[in-house]
Amino acid sequence: MDISIRFSPSFIYARKSAHVTPRRNGLLATDDDDEAAALAAPSDLRWQLSDAGATAQLRLRAGESAWFVLRYDDDAVLPPDHERVTATVAINGAPALAEVGRGRVG
C-alpha cells in the first residue's frame, strides 16, 4: 500500500507559519521565535520540502507498520519509539490512543 504523508504545521491558530527543516529522525517545525513541533518518523523517508511544509511517500507491505510521533514545544527530533509511546499513552489513561500514531497494513 502506498501512503502519502503531508506535514504542514502552523502555530497560534494558524496565525504564524512554520519553517520546516529535515532532521535525521524526522522533521522540525519552528516559527523562528518560540514555537516548535518535532515530528519523529521512519529515518528512511525522503522528505520533499516546500513553503507549505513537507511531503513523503511510504510503501508498506502486509504486516508492516510505521510510527510517527508529533511532539509540541520540543526541538529534539528523537526516533519514533513505539514502546515508549504506548507506555506514555497508557499511563495517561487512554490506551486506545496508542494506535493513533501507527499505520498498519493488514
Side-chain angles (χ1 to χ4, degrees), residues 16-104:
K16 283 188 170 183
S17 60
H19 175 71
V20 177
T21 55
R23 294 289 188 256
R24 180 178 354 162
N25 297 308
L27 300 167
L28 176 64
T30 67
D31 68 351
D32 295 326
D33 188 19
D34 62 351
E35 303 287 342
L39 177 67
S43 60
D44 60 345
L45 285 181
R46 300 293 173 243
W47 293 99
Q48 302 295 317
L49 301 178
S50 70
D51 290 340
T55 58
Q57 300 297 315
L58 176 65
R59 176 169 284 175
L60 293 177
R61 294 181 187 90
E64 292 184 324
S65 63
W67 281 83
F68 295 83
V69 179
L70 179 64
R71 290 192 327 267
Y72 172 73
D73 207 21
D74 193 347
D75 60 1
V77 184
L78 304 173
D81 178 350
H82 68 275
E83 286 87 7
R84 185 177 59 182
V85 171
T86 303
T88 301
V89 171
I91 288 169
N92 289 320
L97 291 178
E99 298 297 316
V100 170
R102 185 176 123 182
R104 187 172 198 62

Side-chain angles (χ1 to χ4, degrees), residues 8-18:
S8 182
S10 59
F11 298 105
I12 316 295
Y13 300 101
R15 290 185 300 215
K16 283 188 170 183
S17 60

